[in-house]
Amino acid sequence: MGQMEEYEELIAAARCEIEVDLLLLGGSVANLISGEVRRSDVAVHKGRIVGFECSSASQIISLEDQILAPGFIDGHVHIESSMVTVPEYARAVVPQGTTTVIADPHEIANVWGEEGVRYILQSSRNVPLNVFVMLPSCVPATDMETAGAALGPDALVGLFEEEGVIGLAEVMNCPGVIFRDPQIMKKIQLAGGRLKDGHAPGLSGPDLSAYICAGIRSDHECTTLAEAEEKLFSGMFIMLREGSAARNLSDLLPLVTLKNSRQFLFVSDDRHPADILREGHIDFMLRKAINEGLDPIVALQISSLNAARYFGLADLGAIAPGYRADIAVLDGLDEPRVTHVFKDGRLVARDGDFLAPMNRPVKAMHKSIHLAALSRRSFEIVAQKGPARTIGIVPGQIITRSLPLFPLIREGKVVSDTDQDILKLAVVERHRATGNVGLGLVQGFRLVRGALATSVAHDSHNIVVVGTGDEEMLAAVSAVTEMDGGLVAVEDGEVLASLPLPVAGLLSESHMQEVAEGIAECIDAAHKLGCTLEDPFMTLSFLSLPVIPELKLTDRGLVDVRVFRFVPLFLEES
């Protein structure tokens, strides 16, 4: 059917001249455009809303005493943080009312580059979830680690032409923008009139104005009311984030008023399987905002309409004639729970159950773990005089401290010291078999035996391992390699628990519930090894991120993030 014929049929359906596909009967519409809730039926034809009445419908679904709202939109998400493929992600979040996500495939792009972005796009086809992609702007994130790929301006040219790509994702390189780095400026130029999302924690004053002048219109990194207020005053859209590691919704919500609420949207950024399954997705943010006093209609606008308008998705975000029939049915507005979800006019979820047929997953392209030969000697640290720079974990945070501590030394070598909780840490390059092994020390895990390792290690996703002995660390890295990526806990060289993530070393093709159970088993095994951190694998995954202060470790060495340079392990070497 051509576009003209489609319009003509929709017009006929709207005028009650023909039978419509679906009538949603007896509910009340949360009209986010007029700002009211009104008792109204909804007629749907060819996946579109055609009006609020009809003469005949081939299917009628009664929704008496329920609220019809537009499907929710996540304005910024790294799907890879859920550790499942796009179809399995949809299986989990669609029953919670999410029908659209704006994805930044930054994580998989650091492993597979252009192929990784295309894998996400291809995996999104024929899935009952709209997946729009913002192209990663900073791959690799820094030159202080070895990534699996690089997305330079030339690579972005072709990707911008792909169906589903709508803009440039979070521009993390704020200095590159402010000081006009040629590479980042070229990427911004290539984006042209497409949206450019921001990532500017703490940026203020003239530097903030300069950053915005590059055409960057949003930020999801606000952590304080004052920061969000300045960025709002400067014209930015404020993304209210409630992820797993970063939860900022409660702190920023007091800034939202009836006069400015159009400038806010909900985002999850990084939300892990257990949190999605236990708490929810955008529906969780909706409930939390309402519980903290936000008007329910305003909260619903932030859940869908605002994001649709910011991203230029003209036929999403409202229940009105001509809009796509992406609808989340709620049991009320005081503590809204999703009862039904319609995607393009089809019932795809009811009472938490996913009902849609699922297409076969896109086959993962190739193995992603490529290591040079390792031995226990790969983890040896030759002792030097004086204290050593030790990464100090801050529980519940991804920032760390740089602690000058005296490690345990035996026969001229540094060894893990469980009494002082000073353990050896290593980052093993896994993309190009370079043989790079960054070595350091960490305090805060409280392991008394065994080792933990993961190939989920932001941002370049090398293998990061912490352990009480070199043999244990070698066994853990070997186990991750044999799985072609994943999480593992070992004791006496034997695997206690593991979660295979064979897609780029980041994703499983299993259901999210199975992945959540696998993570829980790994965490439980870590606790049995003495670890006291709530989620040691999440903590481990951020110890290699050299853009978050104070001290981090990459495959190329120890990084003092405060001065953004490599530093020796022992202070006296300085």
Side-chain angles (χ1 to χ4, degrees), residues 18 75 105 166 228 273 314 356 398 514:
I18 60 174
I166 60 173
I398 62 175
E514 295 175 44

Side-chain angles (χ1 to χ4, degrees), residues 43-245:
V44 177
H45 193 68
K46 300 301 180 185
R48 299 270 171 175
I49 297 164
V50 292
F52 305 107
E53 56 187 280
C54 69
S55 58
S56 175
S58 60
Q59 182 183 18
I60 298 174
I61 297 179
S62 177
L63 298 171
E64 199 73 34
D65 300 323
Q66 298 187 70
I67 307 292
L68 279 66
F72 305 141
I73 300 175
D74 188 337
H76 174 72
V77 60
H78 304 285
I79 292 176
E80 303 97 311
S81 295
S82 71
M83 299 187 191
V84 294
T85 59
V86 174
E88 292 306 323
Y89 180 79
R91 190 191 302 275
V93 302
V94 168
Q96 297 171 333
T98 300
T99 54
T100 301
V101 298
I102 313 300
D104 172 7
H106 172 87
E107 313 299 347
I108 201 167
N110 267 285
V111 180
W112 280 341
E114 293 178 66
E115 291 182 65
V117 176
R118 289 195 169 93
Y119 171 80
I120 294 296
L121 287 166
Q122 292 163 8
S123 298
S124 305
R125 310 286 188 238
N126 303 315
V127 171
L129 175 72
N130 304 317
V131 180
F132 297 99
V133 165
M134 302 286 278
L135 293 182
S137 65
C138 298
V139 175
T142 75
D143 60 0
M144 307 188 82
E145 55 191 328
T146 304
L151 280 182
D154 291 343
L156 295 185
V157 171
L159 289 172
F160 270 125
E161 302 307 314
E162 292 280 347
E163 181 184 355
V165 172
I166 60 173
L168 190 66
E170 51 180 321
V171 182
M172 296 186 287
N173 189 353
C174 296
V177 175
I178 295 165
F179 297 108
R180 282 84 77 195
D181 175 81
Q183 287 290 303
I184 193 66
M185 295 310 294
K186 180 65 173 176
K187 293 177 183 179
I188 289 171
Q189 179 187 1
L190 286 172
R194 300 177 183 90
L195 280 173
K196 306 165 197 65
D197 277 346
H199 173 115
L203 201 63
S204 180
D207 284 348
L208 175 61
S209 297
Y211 184 75
I212 295 171
C213 281
I216 297 165
R217 292 289 179 262
S218 69
D219 189 67
H220 62 272
E221 289 291 340
C222 296
T223 57
T224 68
L225 207 56
E227 180 182 0
E229 189 172 26
E230 180 182 4
K231 288 174 177 174
L232 177 65
F233 187 80
S234 297
M236 298 188 94
F237 281 77
I238 307 300
M239 295 177 167
L240 301 171
R241 175 174 58 186
E242 193 72 4
S244 291

